[in-house]
Amino acid sequence: MNQLLGRIFAQRRNNGGTDLEAIESALRVALHQAGAGALSELLQFEAPPQDRRQLPCACGHQARYQELRSRPVLTVVGWAQMNRPWYFCDRCHEGQFPADEALDVKNTYFSPGVRRMQALVGQDAPFDHGREQMKILAGLEVTAKSVERTAEAIGANIAANEQRAIDRAVQLDLPVIVGKPIPILYVQMDGTGVPVVKKETEGRKGKTEGQPAHTREVKLGCVFTQTSWAKEGYAVRDPDSTTYTGAIETAEEFGKRIYLEAWNRGWSRAAKKAVIGDGAEWIWNNADLHFPGAIQIVDLYHARQHLWDLARKLHPNDLTTQKAWIKAHQKRLLDKGKIEKLVLSLRSAPSTNAEVLEKIRTEADYFERNAERMRYPKFRKQHLFVGSGVIEAGCKTVIGSRLKQSGMFWTVCGANSIIALRCSHLNGRFEEYWEARRAA
Ligand SMILES: [Zn+2]
């Protein structure tokens, strides 16, 4: 360090210049080296005393102390060397390093601090981008693969913790979360495809309509609150109140997941509750099952889209007539919540084309089935949201921007790990996770 400072001052004497970037970088390297040296000293463990040279082994036998073994570990100040006792069980031939478990570096070359960085950059951007961030921001050289492995391992751990909480939640009566009453609490759900490697779609039938065969559906849910509304009466979301949860999983599994999230956000103390989604059947099945009594709302813009699809079928290549038809059906019926009239009108639409008739029938069924979820004037009078914009934006920011970049193909396990990690971070729970990990 003194040598380095000497060189810096010599440079200034010689040419009067100070290359700040070169100096700060050199200083960081020097400080890292000094830190890694100090850490290496701290990580020299001693052989256990004679009377403590046995440890219970998982097989039921005893593992015996053998020797001190040395190995490197990458810390936030660079590579350090640790030297710690090694125990060996001569019955099952399993070795043990108790110090590794105590330091949370079991089976990894990366310290908790480095893994936290890798997880953070790995949830945010492609893994090679993360490698670059580690180098520039932290002065640490790691491989893209190690960012991937660590981010996925941490994400898998978060996902496993969540799954345990979900399993507990369905077995027990959940404790009521105490807190301020919540005027309005929303649950929104949606699905979005993520590109996966070939083996993840093999032998799967009934892929989501309109999605290419190489994707699997992520079910994403969000929960947010509303305390007031704008002057004009429009719903306003409480800032920073949105949390997300999701995975590639069955509708049944996802139902339990979103239920727990809503519960943790205060479902039981919300004065008014609303579930918003598009027309997908799994959404309403879950709403009926887990959120009975909630106001159910079909996203108005999806409903309008259904009318537009039908308008194009009924009056192909005739935009003027399409618009007139939309005016009569959307503005006067759908937007006014007059769904019975809309269904009647659709069913009486004249056509001789079998395909068109089939489309009319499907759409009329859709509106009929969802009639109670389309009373938009009634919802608006209560200052409720009538669109699922929050979850649709979530599908883009939480899932799309990280998991749907070109050239990405995920395993279901890898995608679910990154989704869990990303939600944990976006929900502001990443710190909690590391604190719990440290306390464990
Ligand atoms: Zn053993």
Side-chain angles (χ1 to χ4, degrees):
M1 183 71 67
N2 286 337
Q3 263 181 353
L4 177 71
L5 289 173
R7 277 210 307 281
I8 292 165
F9 285 117
Q11 182 195 24
R12 185 181 277 183
R13 276 196 304 274
N14 287 343
N15 57 18
T18 304
D19 181 346
L20 183 56
E21 203 202 347
I23 295 168
E24 61 188 342
S25 299
L27 265 174
R28 180 165 74 177
V29 170
L31 289 166
H32 274 195
Q33 280 169 356
L39 261 180
S40 294
E41 276 176 45
L42 261 173
L43 296 175
Q44 301 304 307
F45 291 82
E46 283 175 11
Q50 288 298 339
D51 58 338
R52 274 194 273 150
R53 295 204 156 180
Q54 287 203 349
L55 279 179
C57 176
C59 77
H61 199 64
Q62 294 286 313
R64 237 183 289 275
Y65 169 72
Q66 306 291 319
E67 60 184 357
L68 291 173
R69 284 196 164 183
S70 177
R71 67 125 159 153
V73 55
L74 185 66
T75 72
V76 298
V77 289
W79 284 102
Q81 196 70 20
M82 57 190 291
N83 202 18
R84 72 288 194 232
W86 179 55
Y87 294 75
F88 185 76
C89 168
D90 52 23
R91 187 160 87 183
C92 72
H93 296 260
E94 279 291 321
Q96 278 191 59
F97 293 101
D100 289 18
E101 286 187 41
L103 297 169
D104 194 8
V105 290
K106 192 183 173 189
N107 299 329
T108 171
Y109 282 111
F110 305 108
S111 73
V114 171
R115 298 212 304 286
R116 187 171 173 164
M117 290 182 191
Q118 289 175 312
L120 183 68
V121 297
Q123 63 81 35
D124 181 57
F127 301 119
D128 192 54
H129 188 132
R131 175 200 58 77
E132 196 186 347
Q133 289 182 317
M134 295 280 294
K135 188 175 171 186
I136 293 167
L137 302 179
L140 297 174
E141 302 253 7
V142 296
T143 62
K145 194 74 201 168
S146 81
V147 174
E148 177 178 349
R149 284 213 186 100
T150 303
E152 290 191 0
I154 301 291
N157 188 236
I158 290 172
N161 291 348
E162 283 173 359
Q163 197 54 57
R164 267 195 301 278
I166 291 166
D167 295 342
R168 266 200 310 273
V170 288
Q171 281 167 15
L172 304 163
D173 278 334
L174 290 171
V176 172
I177 315 282
V178 195
K180 277 193 293 186
I182 297 166
I184 311 175
L185 193 127
Y186 292 88
V187 168
Q188 295 193 349
M189 300 177 240
D190 201 2
T192 184
V194 160
V196 290
V197 296
K198 212 166 169 203
K199 72 166 171 95
E200 300 289 10
T201 52
E202 263 165 24
R204 293 184 62 87
K205 57 178 164 71
K207 295 189 188 69
T208 312
E209 206 183 331
Q211 277 181 13
H214 63 274
T215 65
R216 291 281 299 272
E217 187 191 50
V218 175
K219 292 182 177 70
L220 189 70
C222 70
V223 181
F224 61 93
T225 60
Q226 178 190 339
T227 306
S228 60
W229 45 83
K231 253 191 230 133
E232 309 79 28
Y234 286 112
V236 182
R237 178 164 47 133
D238 290 338
D240 301 322
S241 73
T242 313
T243 54
Y244 301 93
T245 188
I248 300 173
E249 62 189 349
T250 64
E252 194 193 343
E253 289 165 330
F254 178 78
K256 295 172 191 163
R257 171 185 305 281
I258 187 68
Y259 168 70
L260 180 62
E261 183 63 29
W263 187 271
N264 287 338
R265 293 295 312 279
W267 185 259
S268 59
R269 60 193 155 88
K272 196 170 274 182
K273 307 159 186 193
V275 177
I276 308 183
D278 58 23
E281 218 181 310
W282 63 266
I283 292 177
W284 302 115
N285 289 341
N286 274 324
D288 288 338
L289 182 63
H290 296 294
F291 306 115
I295 301 164
Q296 299 185 355
I297 302 172
V298 161
D299 172 67
L300 172 60
Y301 309 95
H302 272 91
R304 284 180 179 168
Q305 199 56 50
H306 277 260
L307 281 186
W308 268 106
D309 289 348
L310 190 51
R312 283 186 208 104
K313 267 262 155 48
L314 288 169
H315 308 288
N317 306 317
D318 183 355
L319 190 60
T320 313
T321 315
Q322 285 173 16
K323 278 184 174 165
W325 189 88
I326 285 290
K327 198 171 176 187
H329 291 83
Q330 178 185 303
K331 299 223 169 88
R332 293 196 193 128
L333 298 175
L334 174 64
D335 290 5
K336 294 197 169 154
K338 297 177 177 170
I339 310 305
E340 286 75 7
K341 275 189 182 163
L342 173 65
V343 171
L344 269 179
S345 169
L346 294 185
R347 294 210 194 277
S348 61
S351 178
T352 48
N353 181 316
E355 196 199 320
V356 174
L357 283 171
E358 175 59 26
K359 178 77 176 166
I360 292 172
R361 203 181 56 79
T362 320
E363 294 301 339
D365 288 350
Y366 164 80
F367 286 105
E368 193 165 51
R369 194 168 58 240
N370 289 300
E372 289 310 316
R373 304 181 180 123
M374 294 178 174
R375 309 297 188 197
Y376 299 111
K378 192 177 96 184
F379 303 145
R380 285 208 157 113
K381 221 174 267 168
Q382 303 175 68
H383 310 287
L384 293 168
F385 282 97
V386 294
S388 54
V390 177
I391 194 64
E392 281 162 49
C395 282
K396 292 196 185 89
T397 55
V398 182
I399 307 297
S401 66
R402 177 64 188 90
L403 288 104
K404 289 161 92 159
Q405 295 195 19
S406 74
M408 282 184 181
F409 296 97
W410 298 86
T411 61
V412 168
C413 188
N416 279 345
S417 298
I418 295 300
I419 293 165
L421 187 56
R422 208 163 155 72
C423 289
S424 163
H425 180 251
L426 286 165
N427 295 347
R429 295 174 189 155
F430 197 47
E431 292 293 314
E432 262 169 62
Y433 167 77
W434 284 100
E435 261 159 44
R437 213 185 151 106
R438 206 177 295 144

